[in-house]
Structures are given as structure tokens and as C-alpha cells.
Amino acid sequence: MRSRAAAQLLSGKGFKDVYTLNGGINAWEGNTSESPAEMGMMLLRGDETPEEIILLAYGMENELGNYYSVMSGKTDDTEAARLFSMLSEIEEKHKEKLFKLYLDLDKMVTDRDAFEAKIESGTMEGGFTTEEFTEKNS
């Protein structure tokens, strides 16, 4: 979905030859992965600024990290709980990279609180909230 979002953004900026690989890198290697093409796209207009895309991505990473945290507390399987905790920590690293990238673009923001105050999305990749995704995949 990230590459599709990037392709839509580039198309909205006037680029003519923009491609996205359905199924991502797994499809490239001969494996397939399918989901509805429009899944999660309701969050994008197509004319977002780089700063807006970073804010949206950060919100999605945050929500996905929340999902992993919730799941780590819902399982009695120690190995699964450890995996969910590890995935949550990875999302924190993604958020840190996005925050640093944002600081390079918006010199008016100097601290994490000011940055996070700009986050509007309460959805993770695919357009689901933590609660919706947990219920759908319980």
C-alpha cells in the first residue's frame, strides 16, 4: 500500500510514467499477495505535500504499533507476545525515522510534541483502526 500511495502522490504531482507492483516485492519474486486496490486509499487525496505524507505515515506507524502492543497483551503464547512486542518496537524505530525526516522539511517544528500534535490519522495501513482490525481478525 505504501508504494501505491507513493505512486498516487507522484501521479497527482504530474508524473506520467508511474508504476506500482501489485503484491509488492513478494509478487516480484514469484509469490503473490492480493488485497483490494482501494484499501486504505481513502486517506489520500493525491496532492499531498511531503510533510503531509510523513504525518500520515507516522500516524499509521503509531496505530500499527498500538495494535501490536494490544495483541502482545491478548495472547497467552509467550513466543507470540514476544514477537508482537518486537514488532511494536520496530514501529517505534519507523516513527523515529519519519520524525527526523520531517524535521529536515519543516524547520518550524523542533520537538516531538509539536510534531505529534499535527498527527490526525487514527488508522493503520489498510485504513483500519486498531479496534476494527483486532475485531475483524480476532
Side-chain angles (χ1 to χ4, degrees):
M1 290 309 303
R2 285 181 281 208
S3 65
R4 182 167 172 80
Q8 184 174 347
L9 174 69
L10 290 170
S11 292
K13 296 289 185 184
F15 288 83
K16 302 292 182 217
D17 294 320
V18 178
Y19 302 92
T20 183
L21 179 63
N22 288 336
I25 195 65
N26 287 335
W28 180 267
E29 295 173 352
N31 300 314
T32 59
S33 172
E34 295 184 19
S35 66
E38 69 281 356
M39 188 175 188
M41 298 307 292
M42 72 290 229
L43 301 173
L44 297 169
R45 301 179 313 270
D47 64 347
E48 289 82 0
T49 65
E51 293 88 346
E52 289 173 317
I53 292 294
I54 293 169
L55 290 169
L56 180 61
Y58 188 95
M60 289 178 172
E61 298 290 354
N62 190 59
E63 197 66 22
L64 190 54
N66 289 341
Y67 169 74
Y68 291 139
S69 291
V70 166
M71 293 308 295
S72 71
K74 286 190 175 237
T75 182
D76 293 330
D77 183 322
T78 306
E79 188 63 22
R82 188 185 70 71
L83 176 62
F84 283 127
S85 293
M86 182 182 73
L87 291 170
S88 181
E89 291 171 16
I90 290 170
E91 298 308 324
E92 288 299 318
K93 290 177 184 175
H94 292 166
K95 287 170 38 182
E96 185 62 30
K97 286 181 182 180
L98 288 166
F99 175 61
K100 288 178 180 176
L101 183 60
Y102 191 90
L103 291 177
D104 289 341
L105 297 173
D106 186 345
K107 302 301 181 193
M108 299 299 291
V109 173
T110 58
D111 65 66
R112 190 66 154 261
D113 290 337
F115 170 75
E116 288 186 347
K118 295 176 176 249
I119 306 297
E120 295 179 20
S121 174
T123 61
M124 62 178 123
E125 294 174 30
F128 295 104
T129 65
T130 297
E131 295 79 21
E132 290 169 336
F133 193 79
T134 303
E135 185 174 316
K136 183 176 175 67
N137 295 287
S138 62

